[in-house]
Amino acid sequence: MHRITWRLNQFQKMVTTNRDDLLSRYNYFLTREPKKWGWVNSGHHVEQNIVSQLARVGIQLVDFNIDVAEYHAYFEQAEYTKRYPMYFYPKRIIEKSLEHFIAQKLLQLTPQDIYIDIASDHSPVPEIYHRLYGCKTFAQDLIYPPGLHDDRIGGNAS
């Protein structure tokens, strides 16, 4: 019996590993050139190189400090875990909610604004921004029927 359990566990690991590997390969082949398979070096020298290249083409960067307590307050107000427990990125909820937090900070949304979430793919952010800031929101994605339907825009983001 122990051997059967071990084999089932090994099979489950293989299926999970293969699924993750297939997703990685699928995303790799969808990415346009130039691209690199494997880990990408990161560190201070890489960041400085990127900043230098952006400056050379005239893109000005500014430092952005994140107030952790303010982010936690946003996360709670947005009610990610309560309202969106099946959100598409359950393993990346911190990353996605942090992106949403930074975007709303930079945009300084008000009830007079119109926000369109491009390539939305079931993201809760249009509903969150409407609820928290009162702005008119739309979700755009290929998964929606073509054209404008209420607060959804179907079509290619390009």
Side-chain angles (χ1 to χ4, degrees):
M1 190 65 155
H2 179 69
R3 186 176 172 98
I4 292 171
T5 303
W6 181 83
R7 286 185 184 264
L8 285 173
N9 288 339
Q10 292 303 106
F11 177 74
Q12 186 176 18
K13 285 178 186 176
M14 181 185 74
V15 169
T16 303
T17 302
N18 287 342
R19 185 195 69 213
D20 292 346
D21 185 53
L22 285 173
L23 286 172
S24 294
R25 289 177 190 278
Y26 175 75
N27 289 327
Y28 175 79
F29 290 112
L30 288 180
T31 304
R32 68 175 188 260
E33 295 292 345
K35 59 188 174 184
K36 176 184 175 186
W37 182 261
W39 293 100
V40 176
N41 290 332
S42 63
H44 187 68
H45 69 284
V46 174
E47 293 172 12
Q48 289 304 326
N49 187 23
I50 293 169
V51 168
S52 297
Q53 289 180 33
L54 290 171
R56 269 195 298 264
V57 296
I59 297 174
Q60 182 182 15
L61 301 177
V62 295
D63 289 330
F64 183 84
N65 294 313
I66 297 172
D67 181 328
V68 175
E70 192 176 0
Y71 161 70
H72 284 294
Y74 164 81
F75 189 90
E76 291 303 316
Q77 288 176 327
E79 299 181 323
Y80 282 94
T81 53
K82 178 182 175 185
R83 290 179 182 247
Y84 317 104
M86 300 306 288
Y87 182 38
F88 188 72
Y89 297 94
K91 292 181 180 177
R92 295 176 36 204
I93 190 65
I94 301 302
E95 175 189 347
K96 296 305 291 181
S97 62
L98 182 60
E99 290 172 5
H100 300 162
F101 170 75
I102 292 170
Q104 62 84 23
K105 290 293 289 180
L106 293 173
L107 293 170
Q108 298 179 7
L109 296 168
T110 70
Q112 291 74 41
D113 291 320
I114 297 173
Y115 175 84
I116 302 175
D117 190 34
I118 304 297
S120 190
D121 190 25
H122 303 300
S123 171
V125 81
E127 192 277 328
I128 291 170
Y129 287 175
H130 175 71
R131 183 168 37 87
L132 296 183
Y133 310 111
C135 54
K136 176 72 177 158
T137 60
F138 294 90
Q140 179 283 324
D141 204 288
L142 279 170
I143 64 171
Y144 304 134
L148 177 61
H149 304 280
D150 297 319
D151 61 352
R152 296 201 171 171
I153 305 168
N156 192 316
S158 64

